[in-house]
Amino acid sequence: MKAKYLIQLQTNNSNMGATGWFTLHGAMTKTKAEEIASDFRHARPVNDLRAVRVISASKFTDEVRAYNRAAFNASR
């Protein structure tokens, strides 16, 4: 079963991931995803300024498709 909501951490490396985020975990409900994201936010070191977000899997898929479409059009 695929997760409907993704918990993601912003990357420091512009070459990693199409959108600048990588997925840490997933959940079936937004409430549960927010709980898990809260745990990740509190577990990070104080000097770690990377953002943690919860995003729906369909919205993330749309972001990746838009990035790939733009990259394809730029390569023409």
Side-chain angles (χ1 to χ4, degrees):
M1 183 185 268
K2 290 186 177 183
K4 292 183 181 180
Y5 294 93
L6 306 174
I7 296 92
Q8 297 183 321
L9 180 67
Q10 192 173 27
T11 65
N12 290 343
N13 183 346
S14 62
N15 294 322
M16 185 177 177
T19 62
W21 297 86
F22 62 90
T23 302
L24 301 170
H25 205 286
M28 291 304 293
T29 65
K30 186 159 185 154
T31 303
K32 183 64 176 172
E34 289 292 349
E35 289 175 15
I36 296 167
S38 176
D39 291 342
F40 280 110
R41 288 182 189 108
H42 288 83
R44 291 180 305 143
V46 175
N47 61 350
D48 187 355
L49 301 176
R50 294 175 295 170
V52 175
R53 74 176 180 176
V54 173
I55 186 170
S56 70
S58 61
K59 183 175 179 191
F60 182 67
T61 300
D62 292 344
E63 284 184 7
V64 172
R65 284 182 182 150
Y67 176 88
N68 289 340
R69 191 174 299 115
F72 176 77
N73 290 337
S75 69
R76 287 187 189 187

